[in-house]
């Protein structure tokens, strides 16, 4: 099945054929509500079409909006799917939730230096390619996390064992780990909220507050409350640091359109970005984009962890300089409009060739 950004994906249909009795299916769709005309259109179409041509739907389709909450709906739907497939109707109790969470973390007072990574020599790109940038959490967010768990910049953590690729099992400075390895500002999921409640004694102010938050979870989601935001509202909650980092997702690279031409220099890359920094909707400090704020603080000559990703779309300049070009910029598409193609014009003008109009 094609991705949502693939040409013609909204016109794609499963091959119409009859399914034998006993063919079962379940659908979970992920979309972005910014794309109003195609939002969840394909997964709904697949769900309805499979049912019409004879397959058996074993449970209702699930849906997630990446702009709001991707993880929460998936956790709830996948748990229900596992229960359906196993034939059980009993969900895990609260005791089971705490049993399977948490990492055995050893914290030492020490110093450990970490060197940033830089783009390797010899890497080249073409106009229209992307640059995934490894983001860094802002200093203010890292400091808030350190204060919440009474940690200092010199403290070193050692995780005895973990099957998560982003959790290091070798000694590492906690400050560096929080800055470069995990998402600190990701909106909290309903399951994470329920997990926090299991670490508060029943009837305690912390337990009552966390139970109240679960009843108004949608409001927390609208305000983009993170796990850290919630923990700051229940400062006496005795949540172990190992459980906290086990709840977090890996800090993923942010994808930028390259905003420069390789004709000037195949190893010099330009980016166009908007600094995201505003008072947090949750009321906890300032919400800063992890990538844009990191890029904004880079100085000339500062290393940047990134790589080049070739575009899979036919997003290249035409071979003939006489081919007219019409460009519509929306969102990050301003980058190639502003730099890529405009700066690629010299490849023709330097040769003395005439150029078609660019609108």
């Amino acid at each position: 099945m094609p991705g949502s950004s693939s040409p013609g994906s909204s016109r794609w249909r499963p091959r119409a054929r009859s399914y034998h009795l006993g063919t079962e299916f379940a659908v979970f769709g992920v979309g972005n509500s910014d794309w109003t005309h195609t939002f969840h259109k394909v997964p709904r179409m697949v769900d309805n079409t499979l049912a019409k041509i004879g397959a058996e739907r074993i449970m209702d389709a699930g849906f997630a909006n990446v702009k709001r909450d991707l993880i929460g709906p998936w956790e709830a739907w996948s748990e229900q799917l596992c229960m359906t497939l196993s034939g059980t109707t009993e969900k895990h109790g609260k005791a089971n939730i705490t049993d399977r969470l948490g990492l055995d973390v050893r914290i030492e007072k020490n110093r450990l230096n970490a060197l940033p990574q830089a783009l390797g020599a010899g890497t080249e790109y073409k106009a229209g390619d992307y640059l995934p940038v490894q983001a860094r959490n802002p200093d203010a967010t890292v400091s808030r996390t350190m204060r919440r768990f009474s940690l200092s910049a010199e403290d070193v953590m050692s995780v005895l064992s973990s099957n998560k690729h982003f959790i290091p099992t070798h000694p590492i400075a906690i400050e560096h780990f929080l800055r470069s390895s995990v998402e600190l500002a990701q909106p909290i999921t309903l399951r994470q909220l329920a997990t926090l409640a299991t670490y508060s004694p029943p009837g305690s102010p912390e337990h009552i507050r966390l139970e109240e938050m679960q009843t108004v979870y949608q409001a927390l989601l609208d305000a983009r409350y993170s796990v850290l935001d919630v923990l700051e509202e229940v400062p006496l909650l005795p949540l172990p640091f190992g459980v906290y980092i086990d709840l977090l997702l890996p800090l993923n690279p942010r994808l930028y359109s390259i905003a420069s031409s390789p004709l000037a220099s195949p190893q010099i890359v330009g980016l166009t970005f908007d600094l995201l920094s505003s008072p947090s909707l949750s009321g906890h400090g300032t919400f800063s984009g992890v990538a844009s704020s990191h890029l904004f603080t880079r100085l000339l000559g500062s290393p940047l962890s990134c790589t080049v990703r070739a575009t899979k779309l036919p997003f290249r300049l035409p071979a003939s300089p006489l081919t007219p070009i019409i460009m519509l910029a929306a969102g990050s598409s301003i980058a190639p409009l502003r730099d890529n193609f405009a700066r690629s014009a010299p490849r023709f003008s330097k040769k003395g060739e005439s150029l078609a109009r660019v609108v």
Side-chain angles (χ1 to χ4, degrees):
M1 169 173 154
S4 58
S5 60
S6 301
S9 62
S10 62
R11 300 188 299 272
W12 177 83
R13 294 290 186 277
R15 182 174 298 173
R17 64 181 178 88
S18 297
Y19 281 78
H20 295 293
L21 184 64
T23 301
E24 301 176 334
F25 74 95
V27 173
F28 185 84
V30 178
N32 189 322
S33 56
D34 283 343
W35 305 94
T36 55
H37 296 295
T38 58
F39 184 51
H40 292 154
K41 182 177 181 179
V42 171
R44 292 184 188 277
M45 177 268 295
V46 171
D47 185 62
N48 293 330
T49 302
L50 290 176
K52 287 180 180 178
I53 60 180
E56 180 183 353
R57 183 189 291 112
I58 62 174
M59 61 179 290
D60 292 338
F63 301 96
N65 183 357
V66 297
K67 198 174 181 182
R68 293 178 62 83
D69 182 14
L70 171 61
I71 305 301
W74 165 251
E75 288 179 338
W77 186 87
S78 59
E79 182 178 33
Q80 184 62 45
L81 176 63
C82 292
M83 291 170 57
T84 300
L85 295 177
S86 63
T88 181
T89 58
E90 183 178 353
K91 292 188 177 182
H92 293 291
K94 290 186 176 181
N96 298 92
I97 294 178
T98 57
D99 285 346
R100 64 176 183 266
L101 282 175
L103 299 171
D104 190 356
V105 179
R106 180 179 302 157
I107 298 176
E108 301 175 5
K109 302 295 182 180
N110 204 338
R111 290 186 178 273
L112 186 67
N113 297 320
L115 297 177
Q117 299 176 359
L119 184 66
T123 302
E124 298 182 355
Y125 68 96
K126 298 179 181 178
D129 285 345
Y130 300 101
L131 193 75
V133 175
Q134 184 57 50
R136 295 290 184 268
N137 286 305
D139 291 344
T141 308
V142 174
S143 297
R144 286 172 53 204
T145 308
M146 302 280 283
R147 285 196 302 270
R148 175 56 180 79
F149 291 94
S150 302
L151 300 169
S152 65
E154 293 77 24
D155 293 346
V156 173
M157 59 179 271
S158 301
V159 178
L160 300 186
S161 65
S162 174
N163 57 3
K164 296 182 177 181
H165 68 88
F166 60 95
I167 300 292
T169 55
H170 58 273
I172 185 173
I174 297 179
E175 186 178 44
H176 177 68
F177 169 78
L178 293 174
R179 177 174 288 108
S180 61
S181 300
V182 287
E183 297 276 5
L184 298 180
Q186 194 77 11
I188 191 170
T189 69
L190 189 57
R191 175 170 293 189
Q192 289 173 333
L193 199 54
T195 299
L196 296 184
T198 64
Y199 285 89
S200 59
S204 64
E206 291 76 24
H207 189 82
I208 294 173
R209 177 62 177 140
L210 291 169
E211 291 287 340
E212 290 175 348
M213 286 183 169
Q214 294 179 62
T215 62
V216 294
Y217 173 69
Q218 192 59 48
L220 267 64
L221 190 59
D222 292 340
R224 294 190 60 86
Y225 265 76
S226 66
V227 177
L228 177 60
D229 292 335
V230 172
L231 288 176
E232 288 182 333
E233 296 202 0
V234 283
L236 298 182
L237 183 74
L239 185 75
F241 183 68
V243 174
Y244 172 69
I245 63 175
D246 200 25
L247 290 173
L248 303 179
L249 296 174
L251 184 60
N252 289 320
R254 270 50 172 182
L255 195 63
Y256 286 88
S257 294
I258 293 178
S260 58
S261 170
L263 296 179
S265 175
Q267 293 183 341
I268 295 180
V269 176
L271 295 179
T272 300
F273 66 95
D274 185 21
L275 175 62
L276 178 57
S277 181
S278 61
S280 174
L281 295 176
S282 66
H284 292 261
T286 300
F287 181 84
S288 301
V290 294
S292 63
S293 61
H294 177 59
L295 290 171
F296 187 74
T297 59
R298 297 299 86 195
L299 302 175
L300 184 64
S302 297
L304 184 68
S305 297
C306 57
T307 186
V308 173
R309 180 183 298 176
T311 178
K312 296 181 180 179
L313 300 175
F315 195 51
R316 305 289 189 192
L317 279 173
S320 172
L322 300 179
T323 303
I325 300 174
I326 299 176
M327 300 193 67
L328 305 176
S332 62
S333 295
I334 194 68
L337 174 63
R338 178 178 178 269
D339 293 305
N340 278 1
F341 299 110
R343 294 185 184 182
S344 293
R347 71 173 180 166
F348 297 123
S349 59
K350 285 183 179 178
K351 299 178 183 178
E353 302 179 29
S354 58
L355 299 175
R357 293 187 63 186
V358 178
V359 179

